[in-house]
Amino acid sequence: MSAATAHLRFRAGRARGAHGGGRKAAKGVKTMTERKKISPGLVLFMMLMSMTAGAMCLNKVAPIVPVLTESMGLAGAGQAGLLISVFVFSGIFLAIPSGVIIAKLGYYKTGIVALAAILAGSVVGALDAGYAVMLGSRIVEGVGLILLMTLGPAAVASSFDDKRRGSAMGLLMCFMAFGQIAMFNLAPRIAEGGAWENVWWFTAVYAAVFLVAWIVALRNLDASLAAAAAPAEEAPGTGASADTPAAPAKLFSKDVFLNPGVWLVGLTLMVYLIAEQGVISFPPTYLAEVRGMDAAAASSIVSIAPLVGIPVGIVTGMVSDKMGSRKKPLGVLMLASAVTYALMPSWPTGVFVVLVVLFGIAVMGIVGLCFSAVAELVPPAQDDMAVALLNTFQWVGIFLSSSLVGLLIEAVGWDMAFYLMVPLTVAGAVCAFATRKLR
């Protein structure tokens, strides 16, 4: 869902030291690591496909809310919304410690745990053992995605050199869009006839395939990443040996928690996600139940937003770099998002796809801007903690999103729920513009 974890774990990956002594030993180590090295392309492919498994699980509820509501006897949009947002509940608590977990287990074992959690959660959910069990299974699935969103970007960042890292990370960060596009188009069709459990079995099979692929193809992942991240035998101009371990990065920093700019950008991201994730979770239901569209067609129309978002996210970053500003494009896009929410209740059904495209253009570049912004508000030594804190804001926003919007739909109706997203998003724009040290 974000570039945060790439920055969070990249430096930790670079901190790994090489072992051995002398030129002869160094040659022996080199020979061993060359045998164990996994190609960067394979690392990127496996991380992208594995993270997409988590994204598919996160997004498989929204397109089939009407089917789930009827089949499970849900009380309304509030319970359906919680079924969506509870997925990221663990992220609120794991955003900061996930790096420590990976350091303890290693990349290979952590990836196995993550994919196994996605597989187990999908299987339990497919058994249809009741609403409470379903909520628990969604949390288990979410743990898998949270871990992969720290592990995947870190592995890719360490695997690619400076010239290719940007392109590789850009492709990897499309995982959420891929998951949304897949589920918005496949889930309603798989669930036709009321067999929504088949959607859960589909994600379970997908996770199982890549769990087996991970176990077989990435056995030497940790050794390969250590070799890729090891510094040169001697750092130019410093006399530093490859055998000298880098100083460990400080995880917790009081200065970060006391930095008002980090909090303002974090609040911007949080309110953006409350509105954006809450709104994108319900349009398939809204278009089917209120506008009279075919459910599958409605989901396909909504899937255009993340499809548009793939190039938009890249272009937004390029424009921001060219302007030399994060604050202006961030604030303007937040206001543009507010406009799309205001237009949703009255936009003609026949051309609703146009509004979906505008929505995708307005919202899909904001996350990247937030993470770029927060990195510029702290010294380099505090980057990791600032990004980890921003990740926490991210998961809080996503957790509140569908639950809050679902409750609003029940309490005040569809139109007013959309309208209430307008002042919320404007408040986020104000926070962005009020960040004094942000250029």
Side-chain angles (χ1 to χ4, degrees), residues 27-163:
K27 288 180 181 178
V29 171
K30 182 178 179 182
T31 302
M32 179 181 68
T33 54
E34 280 177 349
R35 290 200 307 266
K36 293 183 177 181
K37 188 172 177 59
I38 299 173
S39 71
L42 178 59
V43 173
L44 175 58
F45 173 78
M46 287 300 300
M47 299 305 155
L48 176 59
M49 294 297 99
S50 299
M51 290 167 69
T52 298
M56 288 166 59
C57 288
L58 172 59
N59 291 283
K60 65 188 174 186
V61 172
I64 57 172
V65 164
V67 177
L68 288 172
T69 301
E70 181 179 355
S71 176
M72 300 183 70
L74 304 185
Q79 281 193 322
L82 181 59
L83 204 55
I84 297 170
S85 62
V86 75
F87 187 93
V88 301
F89 180 73
S90 61
I92 299 172
F93 307 100
L94 287 177
I96 294 174
S98 58
V100 178
I101 294 171
I102 293 172
K104 292 289 186 181
L105 293 180
Y107 286 80
Y108 178 67
K109 291 181 180 178
T110 304
I112 292 175
V113 170
L115 285 166
I118 293 172
L119 171 59
S122 292
V123 169
V124 172
L127 298 178
D128 190 16
Y131 183 74
V133 174
M134 176 66 84
L135 287 177
S137 73
R138 297 284 291 162
I139 294 175
V140 172
E141 288 176 319
V143 170
L145 179 59
I146 303 306
L147 292 175
L148 286 170
M149 283 186 66
T150 301
L151 183 156
V156 171
S158 292
S159 297
F160 286 82
D161 57 30
D162 292 344
K163 293 181 180 179

Side-chain angles (χ1 to χ4, degrees), residues 44 50 59 67-68 97 102 111 114 187 211 243 246 251 273 276 316 367 388 413-414:
L44 175 58
S50 299
N59 291 283
V67 177
L68 288 172
I102 293 172
L211 174 58
D243 300 325
L251 180 61
L273 286 168
E276 187 268 339
T316 299
V367 173
W414 287 97

